[in-house]
């Protein structure tokens, strides 16, 4: 069975891992991730989940000190769609071996060409014409940004590869030469998106933004915001890991755009002090389904250290526990190993699935709060991650309860492996003891 699964999954992983579009989407989000994490820290400082936090610091910093920090976080969160377009176009340009920065710049202009420029202002009867509403540049603009990047860059590359560029004579500085080479490809991209804006202006949707939001973003977001989608995502991650493939790196190329939108929606609501709309955000997936990396292997590490007697497992546990606390589990994925290990495949898939089901239920029942969308590093240790992502100490305690449950599930399986390794170590010791050579005998031994 494993051979058949491997034959199916390996080509699929290779195909997904080498697809330039998926790589561009994945790498594009990675470019924006540091900005989002830093902005989240500013937002967290302004809204730290401790009673009277704001009043305490207000004594020293004055009323409204929070706005200093929210100005920074707003600068990122209100433009995340805008930056998604730029970063994805840049990553796609690099994949297609073209002038990536120029391709990203023209994609950004194309994005702005398509962005609605009428803004509704409170107390005004007519919308203000010629203004950019930040709502279109933030979370709601993520899918438009992706589409624009993935269309603009191929057009730019096509024109460039056809040689429809202005060639400067030798001796002209490279920067000037590259600037002129990009002139016609950039103009073609801008003309095409200008035409698209006019065409959609003649339809009931009025703009491509409205079309994508209704036709693409809303249905995809709805499909991704379901327990079924999360089970598929979780299963894909663990099963890829089982075959030695970085599961999240493969699965995120498909699921990341959807989860990013869900996360940012929660963040928007958190900033506005409104009810949080989504359960299945990135923090929920990172901090309430897996502890210590894919397969929730921090539980496995604890059992390895506390209950296993095999030297191989105990030594590996000592080496891997510190990385495991911070969500890094490659040492046991490849060192135990978990890869292609038929004994561990069941708990490796079962523990994250049970965590997902239980966490979904307790969140829906209101026992723990929804995650606030603040982008914490995925290496944030258990306990801290639960508290900071929800503002609830109960969520932290709940994480430890799941960790203990994972230990119970892993226990019988790792003990089976432990017995196997103990027998192998004993056999090796016996073989070593029996491996006596006559060369080891001394003259005194022979005289006896």
């Amino acid at each position: 069975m494993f051979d058949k699964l491997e034959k199916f999954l390996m080509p699929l992983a290779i195909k997904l891992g080498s697809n330039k579009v998926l790589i561009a989407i994945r790498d594009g989000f990675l470019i924006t991730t540091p900005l989002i994490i830093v902005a989240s820290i500013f937002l967290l400082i302004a809204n730290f989940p401790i009673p009277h936090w704001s009043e305490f610091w207000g004594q020293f910093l004055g009323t409204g000190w929070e706005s200093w920090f929210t100005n920074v976080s707003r600068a990122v969160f209100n433009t995340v769609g805008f930056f998604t377009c730029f970063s994805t176009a840049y990553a796609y340009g690099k994949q297609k071996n073209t002038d990536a920065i120029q391709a990203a710049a023209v994609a950004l202009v194309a994005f702005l060409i398509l962005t609605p420029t009428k803004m509704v202002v409170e107390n005004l009867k007519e919308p203000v014409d010629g203004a950019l509403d930040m709502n279109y540049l933030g979370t709601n603009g993520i899918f438009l940004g992706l589409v624009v990047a993935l269309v603009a860059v191929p057009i730019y590359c096509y024109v460039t590869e056809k040689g429809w560029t202005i060639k400067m004579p030798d001796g002209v500085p490279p920067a000037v030469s590259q600037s002129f080479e990009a002139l016609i490809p950039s103009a073609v991209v801008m003309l095409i998106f200008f035409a698209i804006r006019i065409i959609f202006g003649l339809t009931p949707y009025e703009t491509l933004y409205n079309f994508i939001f209704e036709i693409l973003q809303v249905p995809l977001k709805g499909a991704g915001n379901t327990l079924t989608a999360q089970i598929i995502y979780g299963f894909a991650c663990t099963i890829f890991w089982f075959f030695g493939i970085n599961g999240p790196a493969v699965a995120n190329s498909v699921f990341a755009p959807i989860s990013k939108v869900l996360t940012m929606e929660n963040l928007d609501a958190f900033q506005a002090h409104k009810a949080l709309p989504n359960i299945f955000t990135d923090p929920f997936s990172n901090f309430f389904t897996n502890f210590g990396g894919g397969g929730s292997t921090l539980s496995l590490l604890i059992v390895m250290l506390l209950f296993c007697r095999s030297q191989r497992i105990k030594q590996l546990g000592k080496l891997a526990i510190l990385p495991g606390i911070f969500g890094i589990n490659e040492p046991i994925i490849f060192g135990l190993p978990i890869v292609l290990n038929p004994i561990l495949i069941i708990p490796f898939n079962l523990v994250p699935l049970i965590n997902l089901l239980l966490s979904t239920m307790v969140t829906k029942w209101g026992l723990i709060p929804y995650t606030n969308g603040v982008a914490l590093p995925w290496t944030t240790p258990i306990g801290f991650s639960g508290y900071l992502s929800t503002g609830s100490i109960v969520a932290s305690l709940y994480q430890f309860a799941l960790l203990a449950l994972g230990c119970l599930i892993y226990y019988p399986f790792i003990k089976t492996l432990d017995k196997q390794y103990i027998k192998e170590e004993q056999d090796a010791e016996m073989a070593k003891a029996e491996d006596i050579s006559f060369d080891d005998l001394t003259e005194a031994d022979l005289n006896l």
Side-chain angles (χ1 to χ4, degrees), residues 92-104:
Y92 199 22
K94 289 184 75 174
Q95 287 295 314
K96 295 182 83 66
N97 295 318
T98 189
D99 186 347
I101 191 68
Q102 191 65 43

Side-chain angles (χ1 to χ4, degrees), residues 131-396:
L132 276 176
D133 191 337
M134 299 297 277
N135 285 326
Y136 298 122
L137 307 182
T139 310
N140 293 336
I142 287 179
F143 274 79
L144 177 65
L146 283 175
V147 171
V148 169
L150 299 178
V151 173
V153 174
I155 295 172
Y156 183 89
C157 291
Y158 178 81
V159 177
T160 305
E161 288 166 4
K162 284 291 182 183
W164 300 340
T165 57
I166 297 174
K167 302 290 184 186
M168 300 300 288
D170 294 339
V172 175
V176 176
S177 178
Q178 289 170 4
S179 174
F180 275 88
E181 281 184 17
L183 200 152
I184 293 177
S186 298
V188 171
V189 172
M190 292 164 68
L191 281 171
I192 289 175
F193 279 89
F194 171 65
I196 291 172
R197 176 170 182 127
I198 292 175
I199 292 169
F200 273 91
L202 301 174
T203 69
Y205 293 104
E206 296 184 347
T207 64
L208 180 62
Y209 168 85
N210 292 335
F211 176 79
I212 287 178
F213 190 77
E214 291 184 25
I215 301 298
L216 188 63
Q217 182 157 329
V218 172
L220 277 178
K221 189 184 70 176
N225 197 19
T226 62
L227 182 59
T228 303
Q230 295 303 311
I231 291 173
I232 293 171
Y233 170 74
F235 182 73
C237 289
T238 49
I239 204 68
F240 275 117
W241 261 133
F242 180 75
F243 288 98
I245 304 162
N246 190 322
V250 176
N252 283 344
S253 58
V254 177
F255 285 88
I258 302 169
S259 64
K260 192 66 70 181
V261 170
L262 297 173
T263 304
M264 298 306 293
E265 283 187 350
N266 274 28
L267 192 62
D268 289 343
F270 178 64
Q271 288 187 102
H273 304 288
K274 295 179 180 176
L276 305 175
N278 305 311
I279 292 179
F280 303 115
T281 60
D282 283 338
F284 179 86
S285 177
N286 290 335
F287 305 134
F288 291 97
T289 61
N290 285 293
F291 306 103
S296 202
T297 49
L298 187 57
S299 298
L300 173 61
L301 273 168
I302 292 171
V303 179
M304 287 167 61
L305 283 172
L306 295 181
F307 300 105
C308 291
R309 294 189 297 116
S310 159
Q311 288 303 310
R312 175 177 171 181
I313 291 180
K314 286 191 80 70
Q315 290 301 325
L316 181 62
K318 291 176 184 175
L319 291 171
I321 186 65
L322 187 60
I325 291 171
F326 293 96
I328 299 165
N329 64 353
E330 276 82 353
I332 59 169
I333 290 274
F334 299 103
L336 193 54
I338 289 174
V339 173
L340 294 177
N341 190 325
I343 296 174
L344 293 176
I345 186 175
I346 295 173
F348 190 68
N349 281 276
L350 191 61
V351 174
L353 177 62
I354 290 176
N355 290 347
L356 170 64
L357 295 174
L358 290 177
S359 298
T360 303
M361 284 194 292
V362 298
T363 306
K364 284 188 174 178
W365 292 341
L367 299 178
I368 64 171
Y370 283 40
T371 52
N372 50 31
V374 170
L376 301 168
W378 56 270
T379 50
T380 307
I382 184 173
F384 293 104
S385 57
Y387 178 70
L388 293 176
S389 63
T390 62
S392 166
I393 195 70
V394 176
S396 293

Side-chain angles (χ1 to χ4, degrees), residues 10-24 26 92 95 249-250 253:
M10 285 299 288
L12 178 62
I14 292 170
K15 200 168 184 178
L16 289 175
S18 59
N19 185 285
K20 291 182 178 179
V21 172
L22 294 179
I23 292 173
R26 183 196 64 194
Y92 199 22
Q95 287 295 314
V250 176
S253 58

